[in-house]
Amino acid sequence: MVVPIASIPETSDPADKIVRHASLLSSHLQARRQQMYPPDAQKSLRFFMTHEVSKLTSIPESTLKLMSNEGKGPVPARLENNHRAYTLAQINELRELFASQKPAEALRYLPHRREGEHLQILAVANFKGGSAKTTTSAHLAHYLALSGYRVLAIDLDPQASLSAMFGAQPEMDVQQNETIYAALRYDDERRPIQEIIRKTYFSGIDLIPGNIEVMEYEHETPRVLAQKLNGSQSIFFERLRLVIAEVENDYDVVILDTPPSLGFLTLGAIYAATGLLVTVHPAMLDVMSMSQFLLMMGDLISVIRDAGAELHQDFLRYVVTRHDPNDQSQVHVVSMLRHLFAEDVLTPTAVESAAIETAGLAKRTLYELETGNVGAATVKRARESIDAVNGRIVDLIAESWGRI
């Protein structure tokens, strides 16, 4: 809760300044948010043109136009130029329709998990700021949903940038006991995970938002361990996986956007993950930071194993982000990483782009940008880069399910 500014004395003491500045900035941001997004405003997703729908679903444009003319399937909107435009929900209707009509090709249209295919839980991690964890998480979630997968995004970061990307402002839209902490806490106020999952404007993606409250788990867990209230000392890192298991039948992929630290939440995410994505900006300072991250993560994995538990990860991959292929120092760093880690470094890289930055300022991904927001060539180059990264991750998921 924001402390009223008038109640905070203006002093030269640094501690008092921090409190006052926090309140000033928070109040300003709330006022600005109310101006830009009125209380009843809802974030919405753009329409998709027929050629985009065809590319997303593999249904020929001619078939889509014929269906529309004959009144079959979802009815697209008509824009001012008379072009047909579909919502993502309608695209998913088309997927279900064609999957039911062509059972032999059902997987081509509707890639949901089949019997025997385990839930994929992808943890996006690194404690270096600027490694693009949230950008990677948001773009991956959108790509998966556009491809027809059912996605649950969980914001484990108290800064809650991923939540903001999905239109949930952490200070205004996320109340007490509405974050993942509500499902992880140790007291009588613990809630079933189903109660804190919320639908998003992006069809196919559900969200568990974050805010500063998630830090309570970091404070509470040491106290519980010290008092040995829950019998097994391993329960703190098993907790997240057990909670996610309550809704595993509802999703194909869970994405965990981890905090920039190696605390109890990150350890829980590493233990729960079936796939670990470590984002890295190709600069030596960032790589040195990642080295420390990996060393500390290795120690935490030892803690898990010493407790008699095992990790069940299908893959670990390093995702090169904010990459400028024309920067020779970055080229050198990427080459070094590939030499050290070989195929564990994703071959595609996420390029540094004004299009991604512009989208981020509006709390959007490239998949939400409409024509005219940024230069077409800039968007195309960035989109191809992000698509290549996400496409490779989807291949890894398919491999783990035995589809490839």
Side-chain angles (χ1 to χ4, degrees):
M1 185 180 71
V2 178
V3 180
I5 299 173
S7 67
I8 306 173
E10 190 166 359
T11 70
S12 59
D13 182 73
D16 290 338
K17 278 188 176 182
I18 289 172
V19 175
R20 183 175 181 81
H21 290 175
S23 185
L24 278 168
L25 183 58
S26 179
S27 297
H28 175 78
L29 291 175
Q30 286 192 26
R32 184 170 180 177
R33 194 256 179 182
Q34 286 180 325
Q35 183 181 18
M36 295 176 64
Y37 307 102
D40 58 346
Q42 296 291 325
K43 192 175 181 185
S44 60
L45 182 60
R46 67 179 179 88
F47 283 100
F48 295 84
M49 301 300 101
T50 304
H51 71 277
E52 293 179 290
V53 177
S54 178
K55 186 176 180 181
L56 287 171
T57 62
S58 75
I59 302 170
E61 285 188 59
S62 57
T63 302
L64 292 171
K65 291 176 182 177
L66 181 63
M67 289 178 64
S68 175
N69 291 334
E70 294 180 349
K72 297 179 180 178
V75 180
R78 288 281 189 168
L79 303 183
E80 291 182 3
N81 57 11
N82 205 36
H83 288 179
R84 295 173 178 84
Y86 293 80
T87 66
L88 181 53
Q90 289 178 319
I91 293 173
N92 288 331
E93 283 183 51
L94 287 167
R95 287 189 170 107
E96 292 179 2
L97 178 63
F98 275 76
S100 64
Q101 291 179 346
K102 301 181 178 181
E105 299 180 72
L107 205 58
R108 169 185 163 195
Y109 298 108
L110 203 64
H112 292 179
R113 282 193 299 135
R114 302 301 197 260
E115 185 176 352
E117 296 176 342
H118 59 273
L119 176 69
Q120 276 292 338
I121 304 174
L122 306 182
V124 184
N126 202 333
F127 63 24
K128 178 69 172 68
S131 66
K133 287 193 303 294
T134 298
T135 300
T136 301
S137 298
H139 279 90
L140 178 57
H142 285 184
Y143 182 90
L144 287 166
L146 289 172
S147 301
Y149 295 90
R150 301 166 298 167
V151 181
L152 174 62
I154 304 181
D155 197 341
L156 301 177
D157 189 348
Q159 297 177 75
S161 298
L162 184 66
S163 302
M165 292 283 282
F166 281 101
Q169 302 302 316
E171 290 188 334
M172 300 184 66
D173 302 325
V174 186
Q175 307 303 316
Q176 185 175 354
N177 223 27
E178 291 185 349
T179 69
I180 191 62
Y181 171 67
L184 297 176
R185 62 191 302 164
Y186 298 90
D187 58 20
D188 294 337
E189 294 187 44
R190 184 179 177 190
R191 301 175 64 188
I193 188 173
Q194 293 90 339
E195 292 184 7
I196 57 173
I197 292 174
R198 54 178 73 184
K199 296 291 181 184
T200 71
Y201 68 96
F202 210 108
S203 183
I205 303 178
D206 290 347
L207 172 72
I208 297 180
N211 66 12
I212 195 67
E213 180 188 70
V214 299
M215 284 299 297
E216 293 297 320
Y217 186 68
E218 303 290 346
H219 301 149
E220 192 173 311
T221 298
R223 177 180 59 80
V224 171
L225 292 177
Q227 295 176 3
K228 298 181 181 178
L229 295 179
N230 283 274
S232 173
Q233 194 170 347
S234 64
I235 190 67
F236 75 91
F237 61 76
E238 292 178 327
R239 216 166 178 84
L240 182 59
R241 178 189 282 185
L242 294 173
V243 162
I244 292 173
E246 296 173 20
V247 292
E248 66 176 324
N249 291 334
D250 299 330
Y251 302 100
D252 304 306
V253 182
V254 175
I255 296 176
L256 306 175
D257 188 23
T258 64
S261 62
L262 273 177
F264 295 109
L265 275 170
T266 303
L267 181 55
I270 292 170
Y271 180 73
T274 58
L276 186 60
L277 302 172
V278 179
T279 55
V280 54
H281 174 53
M284 283 309 299
L285 283 176
D286 295 75
V287 171
M288 290 165 64
S289 175
M290 187 182 75
S291 174
Q292 294 302 310
F293 170 79
L294 293 176
L295 288 169
M296 294 174 66
M297 193 162 65
D299 291 340
L300 291 176
I301 290 172
S302 296
V303 170
I304 292 174
R305 288 176 171 160
D306 289 345
E310 288 295 330
L311 299 176
H312 300 282
Q313 292 178 348
D314 298 320
F315 57 85
L316 158 70
R317 289 296 185 275
Y318 298 93
V319 184
V320 177
T321 62
R322 297 172 50 225
H323 180 212
D324 180 358
N326 296 316
D327 185 326
Q328 288 305 307
S329 64
Q330 289 197 19
V331 171
H332 173 74
V333 170
V334 173
S335 297
M336 178 190 71
L337 292 173
R338 294 195 192 285
H339 174 72
L340 293 173
F341 303 142
E343 71 277 0
D344 289 333
V345 180
L346 279 190
T347 300
T349 65
V351 298
E352 188 164 28
S353 171
I356 297 174
E357 292 180 12
T358 300
L361 288 172
K363 294 183 172 63
R364 294 181 181 275
T365 69
L366 290 176
Y367 301 112
E368 299 176 277
L369 281 184
E370 299 187 42
T371 304
N373 290 120
V374 190
T378 302
V379 173
K380 183 175 184 292
R381 175 174 172 268
R383 176 71 181 267
E384 288 175 349
S385 165
I386 297 298
D387 280 350
V389 169
N390 290 330
R392 181 60 190 125
I393 294 171
V394 169
D395 287 345
L396 291 169
I397 292 172
E399 288 172 16
S400 72
W401 285 341
R403 295 185 181 182
I404 296 179

